[in-house]
Amino acid sequence: MAVQSWEKYLEKNPAGTPPPAGGPVPKKRKGPIREWGDAILFAVIAATLIRWATFEAYTIPTPSMEHTLLVGDYLFVSKLHYGPRTPQTPLQVPLTHQTIWGTNLKSYSEAIQLPSYRLPGFSEVKNNDVVVFNVPFEAEHPADLRTNYIKRCVAIAGDVLEVRQGQVFINGKPAENFPEMQSSYYLQVPQANDDLYAAFKEHGIVEYNTPDGRPYQENSAEYGPGYLISMTPAAYAYFKQQPYVKGIISLQTPVGQREGQEVFPNNPDYPYSQALQNPPYPSWNKDNYGPLQIPKEGQTVQLTPQNTPQYLKIITRYEHNEGITVDGAGRILQNGQPLTSYTFKQDYYFMMGDNRHNSLDSRFWGFVPKDHIVGKAVLIWMSVDPNGSFLSKIRWNRLFNLVH
């Protein structure tokens, strides 16, 4: 049997000519607008699924994880490691987060809120993982649309965390100190020179709010002229040997000294509450903290006046309990009756930034619930220096580095 091509058929049967009886009925070709619409729809659906279930790109806007992650780093975050979450807020403009691009208009509706479930992943969150999560203290957004933070998970569910003079201890043992971690110091420099500025650049000591990236020069009444900087142990050792440096003052907060920004749970519901007049742990600060046990699913605790502030948000918000109120004395009530004990419904984590004196983290706002975990930071695929010149804008040595 002979076979005729469609092109030959069209030559013999121009548009408008009806097909022969019993012959094939030609399909109507899509117009260009329809073709573009179908292609865009497919791309949006594919990108949404990839972003939800596998990997998502993020950028680093603040220095709270320096020098592990720098401002201007672009990351891939794996949803596969811990397992993707099912959407809690399904009514949302695709490929948006909180607002529609370039506007302040909400990109979602809370008319439907679904329970959140997590699909199986490669692993659980482990100590020292660099984790992206929805920051839990934002009450104005649904949990899955709260602002994304990135920190290091220093303690997992069931751990006992303590910070002694800046050193983290987990279950009584010193935690690993990563070489790129930073602390704050006052660098006493009577006379700045080009060697100092070159050393700042070499060791990545930068102030992102200045045009050239140089730290502000100060004249402290207590320490004299110098610079308030954050730096790694390697940078500290280098400046300790330099003749133009008169001294290096650690800005670690002493044991028992309270600070302007009170730590959790002395301020139980940052940023919506004030520090308690009679804080449960008055000697705690960002450098001397704990011991504090991280809540674990299935664990039951007895509620006391001292520990109620640290479990307040878990019971009243994170675990969606019904009939919960708080009376004037700070007691947690359920259906009008005081709660004397509580069993946790999910695991929690304690997150800290590697820039230990320049990070708003769990020391100030408390535990991160498991259902707020987004994924694990795995790869830096691009890095742009905000203070770099045109030719040095890209940090080539950071491209495709794994995140540790």
Side-chain angles (χ1 to χ4, degrees):
M1 179 184 291
V3 177
Q4 185 182 42
S5 71
W6 181 246
E7 289 80 4
K8 289 292 184 183
Y9 173 83
L10 290 178
E11 289 177 7
K12 295 179 180 180
N13 300 275
T17 304
V25 178
K27 294 181 179 179
K28 185 178 180 180
R29 296 186 63 184
K30 296 179 182 178
I33 295 178
R34 172 81 180 277
E35 288 184 349
W36 273 103
D38 288 350
I40 291 172
L41 179 62
F42 174 81
V44 169
I45 292 174
T48 300
L49 289 174
I50 291 170
R51 185 172 177 253
W52 165 71
T54 57
F55 292 90
E56 188 172 358
Y58 290 86
T59 184
I60 302 298
T62 69
S64 70
M65 279 295 290
E66 292 198 343
H67 257 210
T68 302
L69 298 172
L70 306 182
V71 172
D73 281 352
Y74 289 79
L75 314 176
F76 281 134
V77 173
S78 167
K79 310 289 183 71
L80 299 172
H81 277 75
Y82 309 138
R85 299 174 298 176
T86 58
Q88 179 180 328
T89 310
L91 300 180
Q92 180 188 3
V93 177
L95 306 179
T96 63
H97 187 82
Q98 296 181 350
T99 58
I100 296 174
W101 317 281
T103 74
N104 291 321
L105 299 174
K106 282 173 56 174
S107 63
Y108 63 91
S109 168
E110 295 182 69
I112 300 176
Q113 289 288 285
L114 303 176
S116 181
Y117 300 97
R118 189 176 296 275
L119 302 183
F122 296 154
S123 67
E124 297 293 329
V125 179
K126 299 188 293 292
N127 295 84
N128 297 320
D129 281 359
V130 178
V131 178
V132 172
F133 55 94
N134 300 115
V135 67
F137 63 73
E138 281 187 349
E140 60 267 33
H141 299 295
D144 58 338
L145 291 175
R146 290 170 183 160
T147 300
N148 293 308
Y149 271 35
I150 184 166
K151 306 289 180 187
R152 191 178 296 280
C153 178
V154 295
I156 63 174
D159 283 347
V160 176
L161 170 133
E162 188 174 3
V163 184
R164 306 176 200 160
Q165 297 180 352
Q167 171 65 54
V168 174
F169 288 78
I170 301 298
N171 302 323
K173 298 179 180 179
E176 181 179 358
N177 290 324
F178 292 84
E180 300 301 325
M181 284 172 46
Q182 293 192 148
S183 295
S184 294
Y185 301 90
Y186 192 85
L187 196 67
Q188 294 175 303
V189 181
Q191 184 63 50
N193 55 38
D194 290 341
D195 290 342
L196 172 68
Y197 300 142
F200 281 161
K201 189 171 183 178
E202 179 183 352
H203 290 277
I205 297 171
V206 61
E207 171 54 62
Y208 291 105
N209 294 321
T210 60
D212 56 6
R214 287 181 185 173
Y216 294 109
Q217 188 170 17
E218 306 192 21
N219 193 5
S220 166
E222 185 175 2
Y223 303 129
Y227 297 84
L228 175 60
I229 60 174
S230 295
M231 58 181 170
T232 64
Y236 177 91
Y238 175 85
F239 283 112
K240 198 75 174 174
Q241 305 298 321
Q242 302 311 306
Y244 52 79
V245 176
K246 179 182 177 182
I248 304 177
I249 310 299
S250 171
L251 298 181
Q252 195 174 95
T253 305
V255 177
Q257 179 176 313
R258 299 180 68 178
E259 302 170 290
Q261 184 170 1
E262 191 61 85
V263 296
F264 170 86
N266 294 338
N267 183 349
D269 195 11
Y270 170 91
Y272 307 108
S273 65
Q274 301 295 321
L276 298 174
Q277 291 186 350
N278 296 304
Y281 306 104
S283 64
W284 291 15
N285 56 48
K286 67 178 182 293
D287 291 312
N288 298 277
Y289 189 92
L292 177 68
Q293 186 176 41
I294 314 304
K296 184 178 180 65
E297 181 181 2
Q299 174 191 1
T300 299
V301 293
Q302 301 302 311
L303 297 178
T304 68
Q306 185 179 43
N307 69 19
T308 292
Q310 71 198 48
Y311 302 131
L312 179 70
K313 289 188 287 188
I314 292 177
I315 298 172
T316 60
R317 290 213 296 272
Y318 299 163
E319 302 207 338
H320 311 291
N321 295 298
E322 296 182 357
I324 297 293
T325 55
V326 180
D327 68 11
R331 295 182 305 170
I332 300 175
L333 312 177
Q334 186 164 32
N335 300 322
Q337 298 300 315
L339 276 179
T340 57
S341 65
Y342 186 78
T343 301
F344 300 111
K345 299 177 182 178
Q346 62 178 320
D347 288 339
Y348 290 82
Y349 305 93
F350 199 94
M351 308 288 185
M352 290 176 63
D354 283 358
N355 195 349
R356 290 294 162 82
H357 290 149
N358 192 13
S359 173
L360 182 63
D361 52 37
S362 287
R363 291 171 293 177
F364 300 98
W365 40 254
F367 309 114
V368 176
K370 184 175 182 177
D371 64 6
H372 282 55
I373 300 295
V374 173
K376 181 179 181 180
V378 293
L379 179 73
I380 301 169
W381 62 273
M382 173 62 76
S383 185
V384 178
D385 185 353
N387 298 114
S389 63
F390 177 76
L391 296 178
S392 61
K393 198 71 174 174
I394 297 177
R395 304 182 182 110
W396 296 100
N397 64 326
R398 296 186 63 79
L399 268 59
F400 304 109
N401 286 355
L402 297 178
V403 178
H404 298 289

